């Protein structure tokens, strides 16, 4: 009798040994993931194009340009005043 | 700095997911196989697991704080397997009636050594309560440690340690007392 208590876990290791996935599963999965990635990129590009055609979506980028520009001008003015002083 | 990582590019995320996939394809497949008991469903389950993981990968990475993502993957597989059984109401939750296919996945050498013993152990594993069976699959088929199993099962480390200990004890009694059906139900 080799199956004393301490070796029961060894038996469990043997019984539940890892199972190699079939090769075609890997190929199939990689293909599915690839097409998922491609369709996501296409979707994003299509969304960006259609979004920019709608004038309502111009407000945010325009506002960002205005705010950014104003902040830049204010910074230049501040520096110029400091130099004069 | 680790908490405030800048958003990763799509290419970088895809590369990291691809790494995760290669590292754990066998783990997910093994888990699925011992959970559902046949190659066909195990393949479906593995495929669905990775597709779902891909959709939520960015968030999982953010929330993992650098911890391994294997428990997260196994948890997805666990949830999908539960749904599979729920959908197929004709099938019992305790999945496998016939362990011959599971035994068939072993090498000739192992089978010569003790086919009966392996079959009895596998049969016993399938008769364990769900949580105990899952914990044993994670520990012995996937080699996960207590902490990983705890994360996959949403339990504390201590509770997981006790769960595994009890599962091994129960299985040992089931297999030791008589060949099959010695345990519950």
């Amino acid at each position: 009798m080799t199956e004393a208590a301490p070796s029961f876990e060894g038996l469990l290791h043997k019984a539940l040994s890892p199972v190699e996935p079939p090769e075609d599963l890997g190929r199939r999965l990689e293909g599915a993931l690839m097409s998922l990635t491609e369709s996501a990129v296409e979707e994003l590009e299509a969304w960006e194009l259609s979004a920019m055609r709608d004038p309502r979506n111009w407000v945010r980028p325009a506002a960002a340009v205005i705010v950014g520009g104003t902040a830049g001008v204010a910074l230049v003015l501040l520096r110029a005043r400091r130099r004069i002083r | 700095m680790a908490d405030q990582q800048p958003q990763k590019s799509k290419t970088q995320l895809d590369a990291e997911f691809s790494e995760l996939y290669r590292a754990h394809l066998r783990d997910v497949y093994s888990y699925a196989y011992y959970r559902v008991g046949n190659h066909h469903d195990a393949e479906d389950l593995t495929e669905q697991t990775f597709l779902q993981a891909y959709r939520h990968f960015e968030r999982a990475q953010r929330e993992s704080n650098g911890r391994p993502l294997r428990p997260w993957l196994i948890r997805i597989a666990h949830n999908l397997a539960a749904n599979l059984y729920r959908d197929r109401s004709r099938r019992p939750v305790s999945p496998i009636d016939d362990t011959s296919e599971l035994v068939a996945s072993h090498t000739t050498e192992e089978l010569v050594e003790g086919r009966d013993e392996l079959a009895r152990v596998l049969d016993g594993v399938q008769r364990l309560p769900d949580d105990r069976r899952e914990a044993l699959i994670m520990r012995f088929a996937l080699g996960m440690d207590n902490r990983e199993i705890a994360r996959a099962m949403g339990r504390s480390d201590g509770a997981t340690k006790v769960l595994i200990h009890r599962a091994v004890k129960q299985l040992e009694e089931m297999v030791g007392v008589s060949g099959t059906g010695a345990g519950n139900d």
Side-chain angles (χ1 to χ4, degrees):
Chain A
M1 289 294 286
T2 52
E3 301 307 325
S7 69
F8 185 70
E9 292 201 3
L11 192 62
L12 254 171
H13 268 294
K14 219 182 265 182
L16 292 172
S17 54
V19 186
E20 286 300 329
E23 267 180 38
D24 66 319
L25 173 67
R27 275 196 295 273
R28 196 150 39 100
L29 238 168
E30 276 169 30
L33 288 170
M34 196 84 82
S35 67
L36 208 68
T37 312
E38 281 164 6
S39 65
V41 170
E42 281 165 16
E43 218 170 85
L44 187 66
E45 282 170 354
W47 179 83
E48 279 172 348
L49 280 175
S50 66
M52 290 317 290
R53 269 187 223 116
D54 184 348
R56 281 174 298 184
N57 291 329
W58 297 351
V59 176
R60 212 181 269 180
V65 169
I66 291 165
V67 170
T70 312
V73 170
L75 198 65
V76 171
L77 282 175
L78 268 176
R79 279 181 188 161
R81 277 185 192 168
R82 264 189 213 146
R83 264 188 220 143
I84 291 167
R85 278 178 196 167
Chain B
M1 189 173 161
D3 295 343
Q4 292 288 319
Q5 285 176 347
Q7 266 205 331
K8 290 177 180 173
S9 72
K10 184 92 184 62
T11 319
Q12 193 181 351
L13 272 174
D14 283 351
E16 286 174 9
F17 186 80
S18 166
E19 213 171 282
L20 178 84
Y21 156 78
R22 287 202 185 94
H24 297 305
L25 176 61
R26 190 173 79 156
D27 289 332
V28 173
Y29 188 76
S30 296
Y31 172 83
Y33 181 69
Y34 285 116
R35 183 78 209 278
V36 299
N38 67 76
H39 285 290
H40 182 261
D41 286 341
E43 283 185 37
D44 276 356
L45 193 57
T46 305
E47 196 171 343
Q48 291 306 315
T49 300
F50 279 107
L51 291 179
Q52 190 156 321
Y54 181 75
R55 284 187 207 111
H56 303 285
F57 182 55
E58 190 177 6
R59 192 174 144 208
Q61 262 199 336
R62 244 190 350 254
E63 291 176 2
S64 71
N65 292 323
R67 286 175 300 184
L69 288 175
R70 180 162 68 162
W72 170 70
L73 276 176
I74 299 303
R75 198 176 178 124
I76 294 175
H78 159 83
N79 291 338
L80 288 170
N83 291 344
L84 181 79
Y85 284 118
R86 206 171 300 138
D87 293 345
R88 295 179 185 177
S89 49
R90 62 190 155 78
R91 290 187 69 169
V93 176
S94 171
I96 304 161
D97 302 323
D98 179 11
T99 49
S100 58
E101 186 171 354
L102 287 176
V103 176
S105 71
H106 291 78
T107 63
T108 317
E109 192 186 331
E110 283 168 347
L111 293 177
V112 170
E113 272 178 25
R115 184 187 178 105
D116 284 352
E117 255 175 352
L118 291 184
R120 268 165 47 203
V121 171
L122 282 171
D123 189 49
V125 169
Q126 299 310 325
R127 286 165 187 273
L128 286 173
D130 284 356
D131 56 349
R132 292 185 181 186
R133 184 179 68 239
E134 300 237 334
L136 290 189
I137 293 171
M138 290 182 212
R139 161 56 54 83
F140 293 99
L142 279 62
M144 290 165 76
D145 60 27
N146 284 353
R147 182 163 291 182
E148 276 190 297
I149 297 171
R151 280 183 59 212
M153 299 188 83
R155 292 170 183 244
S156 69
D157 291 2
T160 304
K161 192 176 170 186
V162 172
L163 178 73
I164 293 170
H165 177 76
R166 289 184 179 158
V168 172
K169 268 267 173 274
Q170 184 181 357
L171 184 62
E172 202 170 0
E173 282 166 17
M174 285 163 73
V175 173
V177 170
S178 68
T180 55
N184 51 1
D185 75 8

